Amino acid sequence: MSNENRNDDIRRSCIDCASFACDGKSGTYPDFCLTCELLEGEEGILRDTLEKYTNDPEDSLIAKASATVEYEHYCKATRVEEICAFARRIGAKKLGIATCVGLSREARAAAAIFRHNGFEVYGVACKAGAVRKTEIGLDPAQEDLGPHICNPILQAKLLNKEKTDLNIVIGLCVGHDSLFYKYSDALCTTLVTKDRVLGHNPVAALYQTDSYYSRLLKK
């Protein structure tokens, strides 16, 4: 960690740990370990979560399906293949796609894959409804980038109307994806995370914080 990012006032958590003892690997639990806190004084939270996995039928199904997909496809299947496997395991028949219009080609490719795998697919693009940006109080200058708002709430409501079983996000903007998750009735997963600069591969910036993207750690 660089000197300018050191701060003794930071409350340490899992993101500050390099032990991974909780993952069954060799190592010791650090002083700030959340697992130790849970076992020593917050066991109520841990017990409550375990009850969700065992007593709530939907949570149990999703947790077991997720773990099984990981086990069976680890380092073998692509994300889109894993979504197909997960959807089958939770009994999803109809998949919804909430896509950015800028990734319409990718959304069509995904839909073709899902349909080939036996799913019904219905998709809604972010500009559906063609609502002007000024209608929700945005500065008219923002229409220079395009006159219409991204409309994730409408995307969610239209997919809710279609009664989709699992909704898949393809490239919604930061924040627009948050609204979509908030209003979606169906369970959601993400196939593509938007990053216009890095070809929708945002982790590349994290890999290069000691070189090309070191500016991200500078004041």
Side-chain angles (χ1 to χ4, degrees), residues 117-135:
N117 278 271
F119 298 101
E120 182 181 355
V121 184
Y122 190 86
V124 183
C126 62
K127 301 296 184 180
V131 177
R132 300 288 299 224
K133 292 179 178 177
T134 50
E135 287 192 44

Side-chain angles (χ1 to χ4, degrees), residues 126-127 129-133 142-143 145-151:
C126 62
K127 301 296 184 180
V131 177
R132 300 288 299 224
K133 292 179 178 177
Q142 293 196 30
E143 291 196 346
L145 194 60
H148 299 135
I149 64 166
C150 295
N151 202 333

Side-chain angles (χ1 to χ4, degrees), residues 17 22 42 46 53 57-58 63 67 72-73 98 116 137 139 176 194 205:
C17 175
C22 62
E42 296 289 347
L46 182 58
Y53 292 131
E58 183 181 35
E72 293 181 346
H73 300 278
H116 179 73
D139 191 310
H176 294 146
K194 175 176 282 177

Side-chain angles (χ1 to χ4, degrees), residues 120-190:
E120 182 181 355
V121 184
Y122 190 86
V124 183
C126 62
K127 301 296 184 180
V131 177
R132 300 288 299 224
K133 292 179 178 177
T134 50
E135 287 192 44
I136 66 167
L138 289 171
D139 191 310
Q142 293 196 30
E143 291 196 346
D144 292 343
L145 194 60
H148 299 135
I149 64 166
C150 295
N151 202 333
I153 297 177
L154 179 65
Q155 288 176 286
K157 287 183 175 294
L158 290 176
L159 292 179
N160 292 345
K161 183 180 178 182
E162 287 294 317
K163 300 188 182 305
T164 51
D165 301 312
L166 175 67
N167 288 335
I168 299 148
V169 169
I170 297 182
L172 296 189
C173 298
V174 172
H176 294 146
D177 55 358
S178 302
L179 281 171
F180 179 78
Y181 301 140
K182 178 179 179 180
Y183 284 92
S184 172
D185 288 343
L187 195 67
C188 297
T189 191
T190 300

Side-chain angles (χ1 to χ4, degrees), residues 76-88:
K76 299 175 186 176
T78 62
R79 177 82 177 194
V80 69
E81 290 172 306
E82 288 189 334
I83 289 174
C84 289
F86 174 71
R88 289 192 194 97

Side-chain angles (χ1 to χ4, degrees), residues 4-130:
E4 59 188 330
N5 285 305
R6 285 197 176 127
N7 188 336
D8 293 336
D9 295 329
I10 291 175
R11 182 163 183 253
R12 303 296 174 184
S13 61
C14 292
I15 55 174
D16 303 298
C17 175
S19 170
F20 305 114
C22 62
D23 194 30
K25 300 194 171 52
S26 60
T28 58
Y29 293 105
D31 293 339
F32 56 81
C33 180
L34 299 190
T35 296
C36 293
E37 287 186 16
L38 289 168
L39 295 177
E40 292 172 3
E42 296 289 347
E43 56 272 273
I45 296 176
L46 182 58
R47 187 165 51 250
D48 179 64
T49 59
L50 290 175
E51 288 176 356
K52 296 291 185 186
Y53 292 131
T54 55
N55 297 334
D56 185 289
E58 183 181 35
D59 291 346
S60 178
L61 174 65
I62 294 168
K64 290 176 180 177
S66 305
T68 303
V69 168
E70 178 191 20
Y71 173 74
E72 293 181 346
H73 300 278
Y74 195 80
C75 292
K76 299 175 186 176
T78 62
R79 177 82 177 194
V80 69
E81 290 172 306
E82 288 189 334
I83 289 174
C84 289
F86 174 71
R88 289 192 194 97
R89 287 200 165 272
I90 65 171
K93 304 295 184 183
K94 187 172 186 177
L95 307 183
I97 292 179
T99 184
C100 167
V101 291
L103 282 88
S104 294
R105 183 177 64 176
E106 292 82 353
R108 284 194 294 273
I113 293 169
F114 295 140
R115 285 168 175 155
H116 179 73
N117 278 271
F119 298 101
E120 182 181 355
V121 184
Y122 190 86
V124 183
C126 62
K127 301 296 184 180

